[in-house]
Amino acid sequence: MQSTSSDYSRKRHACRQSLVLIGLLWLLIGCGSNFSTPRPTITWRLAQPVAATITLGPTYTPQASEVSPMQPTQVRDKVVYLTFDDGPDPIWTPKILALLAQHHAQATFFVLGRNAQAYPEIIEQQRLAGHMLANHSWSHPDLTQLNQASVIQELNSTQALLGATSSNCFRPPYGKHNQQTTASADQLGLRMVLWDVDSADWKQPGTEEIVARIRSQVRDGAVVLLHDGGGSRQQTIEALEILLPELAAQGYRFVAACS
């Protein structure tokens, strides 16, 4: 009986140890279930100067269509007044008119009365193209060397030929004027227009020189002196082929003066 009782005690002790171990194991499992699973890390990477990229697993790069395009810089329009003296000429004026039309440029032509009388069809082309016609005297004299009656005749004859649709502006030949010239013009209701930028194209100094002179002096509101008559104007045309697109790219518009 004693031997049997001893065996029974040992079995009960072993059973208690097993239950304690099982309880500890369940306790450990239950506590472990309270820990969160580690999450992926989100990092920021500068992919392009215009946008940031979120990296979450595979790298994501914005497509071009997803990035807002930059707005073009708004440039205020600047104005240049192109003026041509001494025409119309049957060779050079039509070529200049074609070039101006190509670049959507308007200009003012200070015409000589005797040339306008000789080439009325060119005068009509200038009108139809929307250019402004103005008075440059009848025969291109130095008005400061004439008496007042002769000055009035030079200006009045041209103004009458151009008609009511022409402007009320005039430009004295060579730019020369005095008090008598001004008084004569006032009497006819004309106002004198000179220039800010002298291209010196009448000297035919070379295309590069004409371009350089205009480039260095042009500004918003400048009146540029050019010629469509009085000799070969090939250099003038070549200079305009360079300057018209160049100035337009800088924000200049070409508007007729005296309009």
Side-chain angles (χ1 to χ4, degrees), residues 102-173:
Q102 179 183 342
H103 293 278
H104 309 288
Q106 297 296 308
T108 301
F109 289 86
F110 287 90
V111 305
L112 295 176
R114 65 186 181 188
N115 290 352
Q117 185 181 54
Y119 306 108
E121 69 283 0
I122 299 178
I123 292 294
E124 187 62 20
Q125 289 175 25
Q126 292 169 314
R127 290 189 199 276
L128 292 176
H131 301 294
M132 187 57 61
L133 297 173
N135 195 325
H136 196 42
S137 80
W138 184 266
S139 60
H140 207 278
D142 179 351
L143 297 180
T144 64
Q145 301 301 309
L146 302 181
N147 59 41
Q148 188 169 14
S150 297
V151 171
I152 290 176
Q153 183 178 2
E154 281 280 338
L155 298 179
N156 193 45
S157 297
T158 300
Q159 200 67 21
L161 180 68
L162 294 178
T165 59
S166 64
S167 74
N168 66 340
C169 294
F170 92 101
R171 175 174 287 165

Side-chain angles (χ1 to χ4, degrees), residues 84-96:
F84 296 86
D85 288 7
D86 296 351
D89 181 276
I91 297 175
W92 305 110
T93 304
K95 292 182 179 181
I96 289 174

Side-chain angles (χ1 to χ4, degrees), residues 161-246:
L161 180 68
L162 294 178
T165 59
S166 64
S167 74
N168 66 340
C169 294
F170 92 101
R171 175 174 287 165
Y174 315 105
K176 292 186 176 182
H177 58 94
N178 55 19
Q179 186 175 358
Q180 177 179 271
T181 307
T182 304
S184 300
D186 289 343
Q187 184 175 330
L188 296 173
L190 299 176
R191 60 189 181 95
M192 184 168 58
V193 175
L194 297 177
W195 56 84
D196 303 304
V197 180
D198 185 358
S199 68
D201 63 336
W202 61 274
K203 297 179 182 179
Q204 301 183 40
T207 300
E208 292 182 1
E209 176 64 22
I210 296 170
V211 170
R213 288 180 66 89
I214 294 176
R215 275 179 181 160
S216 65
Q217 300 177 67
V218 73
R219 56 174 175 76
D220 187 12
V223 179
V224 181
L225 172 63
L226 296 154
H227 293 79
D228 65 321
S232 174
R233 299 278 75 94
Q234 183 60 39
Q235 294 177 8
T236 302
I237 291 173
E238 292 171 356
L240 287 171
E241 289 173 340
I242 296 170
L243 288 166
L244 287 174
E246 180 181 297

Side-chain angles (χ1 to χ4, degrees), residues 75 78 103 242-254:
V75 179
K78 298 174 285 188
H103 293 278
I242 296 170
L243 288 166
L244 287 174
E246 180 181 297
L247 293 177
Q250 295 174 21
Y252 284 100
R253 291 186 300 117
F254 307 102

Side-chain angles (χ1 to χ4, degrees), residues 9-54:
S9 297
R10 286 197 297 272
K11 289 179 180 179
R12 286 184 63 185
H13 181 71
C15 183
R16 286 174 181 165
Q17 286 182 332
S18 297
L19 289 173
V20 170
L21 289 173
I22 291 170
L24 289 173
L25 180 60
W26 278 107
L27 180 63
L28 289 173
I29 293 172
C31 292
S33 65
N34 292 330
F35 292 103
S36 300
T37 302
R39 297 178 181 178
T41 301
I42 298 177
T43 59
W44 290 86
R45 179 183 304 166
L46 188 63
Q48 298 293 336
V50 295
T53 300
I54 299 178

